[in-house]
Amino acid sequence: FPEPLMSLTSREVLVERFVEGEPMLNYVLKEDEHHSKKDREELATIGLKTVMEMIFLHDFVHADLHPGNMIVDRNKAIRGNPLRVHMIDCGLTVELGEHDHVNLVKILGSLIKRDGYGAGALMVGTATKCQGTELDVELFCKGIEKICVDDGENNFLESVGDYITDICYLACKHKVKLEAAFINAALACEIMEGLASSLYPDMKVQSVALPMVLKAEMMHGLKGLPSPKFWSSK
């Protein structure tokens, strides 16, 4: 992130140091001598890893992520001048606090490991309000389980948009209130996954995401490693 200029910043206005570079969008739209395949793949990995770290490890999510808010340059202070991504316009952020962050890690971790029923139960258990009956809750959890089963060999992070649509539909149908933190984090995953896929279509998303999930579980003292089926996929 660019350095905030605290002498010019208030609760209403965020002022950050000017960053030189070019928009990430330039790398998304074209592959040429200045935007090579290698550079595109490197940026995809940097971007996805950064967002996963924000969500799972740092509990600090940039809530307005899009290619226009990502500026690319080269870090001339490091040998080889590797690519660097600056995430600007950080006026909208999500920070949960330890209790809610633990819940988010549990829910997203369950979805990434294809434990749909467990993820559904966690969504209900962490909701501030649920008007659904006991049958509604059971059907909601089974619905989330079916989404994961039907997704086959894919993964939550590779189909976030479809997951969010289906989960919101089930939540409305069965009167389960979804927490805003889950939606915000899922949307951040969706935007970055879409961007990473455009830059690096063959990228194995879970190879980046899974270590973050495991670190977050260890950080919060949680248990529950992925099943052998998960490890064997892709």
Side-chain angles (χ1 to χ4, degrees), residues 69-85:
N69 275 343
M70 299 180 194
I71 304 297
V72 179
D73 72 352
R74 290 192 175 274
N75 190 347
K76 296 179 180 179
I78 297 179
R79 185 178 180 182
N81 300 334
L83 289 168
R84 177 171 56 181
V85 179

Side-chain angles (χ1 to χ4, degrees), residues 143-161:
I144 305 297
E145 181 179 42
K146 187 175 186 302
I147 293 172
C148 293
V149 171
D150 290 348
D151 203 29
E153 292 302 311
N154 290 322
N155 185 268
F156 168 71
L157 288 172
E158 295 166 335
S159 313
V160 181

